[in-house]
């Protein structure tokens, strides 16, 4: 799939829609000033490992996240196209689409075959080097709705960038993911704060066995002078019916079996509570968080046929500030207890990053992160990552973008971690492929990152 023609079409459409189109006054959306917005995010790069071969990234398979700097082996392309198409009684109506790309290095999407067949170029593990765009988001929304406290109503497929989810910067950890297929109302103004409600269900699930979510959040609660409280609540459940499909076509065919009903799966619950505090240590900002979730989405069944949940309990603290006019810092600590099929797994993570403006476009970044996982009945797995990066950015501030980084990442781990390196996703498997007989590894490379 080529995404260039799609981009050209979008740009042409955006140029055309900037023309002020005066509609007939008796039509809905009269006197529309059509407006277009183009925003997004992109990261890409390349690198090598010092043992020979492409850059590999380092993460404990049972850890929820990894520290990002100099440790991202993927492509992310997220161009957001947003058009205001109507205005009615003070409300603005928009269409939003995102033909995005996510591709981890080594991840296969489809296989292409050339003629004559070349086993080196067309093996089952090789695929096209094209970056395939998929419509990750496609929805319609109306802003400043009367009767809804000035909130926003939406329907379609919406992603995490629009759902108010919380991210931890140096790990890119999304704490609350309320994106999906559905409909909802965002940021209804109340006396306590801003209320958001939604119904989410993936229409690609089985027709007679689907899982739904009812996410709710109340944000901007002014509980202290220098901070705000946010509460996220999500309920999930099952919609099921009997399978009445029957293959009987002729009188001689055997009768249908009794209709089968999918196994009943209990409801799930997720609760997140987050407190922000401004001007705490060194005049910086602090985030305190607690989250508990219990769900049965993976249909885990024990030996006697009882469906059991996966439970997660998480505590976190993040602090960001400045040590000087030139240097900013981010500190993060997390603890998570996971219980799955009666087995506990503890994960603890602590790390930090500094970002120093040297002169002009030049910056120096340093990041250190440590993770450890303690599974029930097994040895503790430990991994520590060190990264130094020089950067050139379009501005003197830490978040100035675009930015280009030249980095060196060195990671060490213990024997327990070495034994499980290949139990994760493709990134961990590639690290095992190169450094599976070692307890340390190094990658160097360059990465471009920007948002607009």
């Amino acid at each position: 799939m080529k995404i260039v023609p799609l981009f050209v079409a979008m740009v042409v459409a955006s140029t055309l829609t900037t023309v002020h189109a005066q509609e007939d006054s008796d039509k809905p959306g009269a006197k529309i000033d059509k407006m277009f917005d183009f925003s997004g995010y992109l990261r890409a790069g390349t690198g090598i490992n010092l043992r020979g071969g492409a850059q590999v990234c380092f993460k404990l398979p049972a850890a929820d996240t990894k520290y990002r700097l100099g440790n991202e082996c993927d492509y992310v392309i997220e161009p957001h196209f947003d058009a205001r198409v109507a205005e009615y009684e003070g409300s603005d109506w928009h269409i939003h689409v995102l033909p995005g790309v996510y591709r981890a290095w080594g991840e296969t999407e489809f296989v292409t075959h050339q003629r004559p067949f070349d086993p080196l170029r067309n093996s089952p593990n090789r695929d096209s080097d094209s970056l395939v765009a998929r419509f990750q988001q496609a929805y319609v929304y109306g802003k400043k709705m009367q009767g809804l406290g000035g909130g926003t109503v939406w329907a379609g497929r919406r992603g995490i960038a629009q759902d108010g989810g919380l991210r931890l910067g140096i790990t890119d950890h999304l704490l609350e993911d309320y994106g999906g297929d559905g409909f909802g109302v965002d940021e209804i103004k109340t006396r306590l704060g801003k209320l958001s409600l939604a119904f989410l269900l993936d229409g690609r699930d089985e027709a007679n066995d689907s899982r739904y979510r009812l996410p709710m959040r109340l944000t901007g609660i002014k509980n202290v002078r220098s901070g705000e409280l946010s509460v996220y609540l999500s309920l999930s459940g099952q919609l099921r019916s009997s399978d009445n499909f029957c293959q009987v076509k002729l009188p001689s065919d055997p009768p249908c079996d009794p209709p089968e009903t999918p196994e009943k799966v209990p409801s799930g619950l997720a609760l997140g509570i987050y407190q922000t505090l401004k001007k705490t240590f060194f005049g910086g900002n602090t985030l305190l968080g607690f989250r508990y979730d219990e769900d049965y989405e993976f249909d885990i069944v024990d030996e006697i046929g009882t469906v059991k949940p996966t439970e997660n309990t998480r505590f976190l603290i993040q602090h960001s500030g400045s040590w000087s006019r030139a240097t900013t810092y981010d500190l993060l600590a997390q603890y998570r207890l996971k219980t799955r099929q009666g087995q506990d797994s503890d994960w603890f993570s602590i790390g930090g990053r500094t970002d120093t403006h040297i002169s002009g476009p030049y910056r120096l970044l340093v990041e250190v992160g440590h993770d450890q996982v303690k599974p029930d009945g097994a040895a503790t797995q430990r991994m520590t990552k060190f990264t130094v990066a020089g950067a050139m950015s379009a501005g003197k501030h830490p978040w100035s973008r675009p930015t280009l980084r030249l980095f060196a990442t060195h990671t060490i781990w213990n024997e327990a971690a070495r034994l499980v390196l290949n139990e994760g996703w493709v990134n961990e498997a590639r690290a095992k492929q190169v450094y599976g007989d070692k307890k340390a590894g190094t990658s160097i490379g360059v990465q471009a990152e920007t948002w607009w």
Side-chain angles (χ1 to χ4, degrees), residues 39-96:
S39 61
Y41 174 83
L42 178 149
R43 72 170 179 254
T46 190
I48 63 173
N49 70 76
L50 292 193
R51 219 173 185 194
Q55 175 190 351
V56 295
C57 291
F58 306 99
K59 174 182 173 295
L60 284 178
D64 289 358
T65 61
K66 59 183 172 62
Y67 289 88
R68 297 176 55 201
L69 184 63
N71 200 32
E72 293 176 306
C73 297
D74 56 19
Y75 306 93
V76 180
I77 308 171
E78 296 177 339
H80 293 262
F81 299 92
D82 190 288
R84 191 180 78 174
V85 295
E87 180 181 348
Y88 184 67
E89 295 186 349
S91 61
D92 295 330
W93 289 86
H94 295 244
I95 298 172
H96 189 104

Side-chain angles (χ1 to χ4, degrees), residues 111-140:
V111 178
T112 58
H113 295 286
Q114 300 175 355
R115 295 293 183 268
F117 181 79
D118 183 344
L120 294 179
R121 291 182 172 270
N122 297 280
S123 66
N125 292 325
R126 288 182 176 270
D127 66 320
S128 169
D129 62 357
S130 299
L131 297 177
V132 180
R134 297 176 173 85
F135 277 87
Q136 301 172 3
Q137 299 185 34
Y139 65 96
V140 172

Side-chain angles (χ1 to χ4, degrees), residues 272-308:
I273 302 173
Y274 305 96
Q275 176 71 56
T276 60
L277 298 170
K278 297 180 180 179
K279 296 183 179 180
T280 53
F281 308 107
F282 299 103
N285 300 323
T286 301
L287 171 68
L288 304 173
F290 164 81
R291 192 176 197 275
Y292 171 82
D293 62 82
E294 173 185 277
D295 209 342
Y296 301 77
E297 191 167 350
F298 299 102
D299 294 341
I300 299 172
V301 182
D302 65 15
E303 295 179 355
I304 61 174
T306 303
V307 178
K308 289 187 175 182

Side-chain angles (χ1 to χ4, degrees), residues 193-369:
K194 293 183 178 180
L195 177 66
S196 300
L197 308 167
F199 173 85
L200 303 176
L201 186 145
D202 190 343
R204 296 169 297 175
D205 286 346
E206 294 292 333
N208 69 325
D209 188 9
S210 300
R211 194 86 178 162
Y212 68 86
R213 288 191 295 157
L214 299 174
M216 298 163 273
R217 68 177 186 268
L218 185 62
T219 59
I221 304 172
K222 304 289 187 180
N223 61 328
V224 294
R225 178 180 298 180
S226 61
E228 296 180 349
L229 182 70
S230 297
V231 179
Y232 289 72
L233 175 65
S234 181
L235 307 176
S236 62
Q238 182 186 31
L239 299 175
R240 62 181 185 139
S241 59
S242 298
D243 186 349
N244 293 295
F245 186 80
C246 182
Q247 293 287 356
V248 174
K249 297 180 180 179
L250 300 173
S252 59
D253 289 341
C256 292
D257 294 330
E260 295 183 0
T261 301
E263 183 177 4
K264 184 177 181 179
V265 178
S267 300
L269 167 71
L271 174 64
I273 302 173
Y274 305 96
Q275 176 71 56
T276 60
L277 298 170
K278 297 180 180 179
K279 296 183 179 180
T280 53
F281 308 107
F282 299 103
N285 300 323
T286 301
L287 171 68
L288 304 173
F290 164 81
R291 192 176 197 275
Y292 171 82
D293 62 82
E294 173 185 277
D295 209 342
Y296 301 77
E297 191 167 350
F298 299 102
D299 294 341
I300 299 172
V301 182
D302 65 15
E303 295 179 355
I304 61 174
T306 303
V307 178
K308 289 187 175 182
T310 296
E311 299 178 62
N312 292 286
T313 304
R314 182 187 312 277
F315 299 90
L316 67 95
I317 179 171
Q318 177 180 260
H319 181 72
S320 302
S322 301
W323 279 329
S324 67
R325 296 182 62 181
T327 301
T328 62
Y329 65 89
D330 295 277
L331 303 173
L332 174 64
Q334 290 192 80
Y335 171 79
R336 184 265 295 148
L337 172 64
K338 173 179 284 189
T339 301
R340 188 175 186 181
Q341 291 183 292
Q343 298 293 313
D344 290 340
S345 175
D346 293 275
W347 170 57
F348 173 71
S349 178
I350 187 169
R353 180 191 298 182
T354 62
D355 187 333
T356 302
H357 178 234
I358 304 299
S359 177
Y362 299 103
R363 315 190 64 82
L364 176 66
L365 295 88
V366 178
E367 182 176 273
V368 179

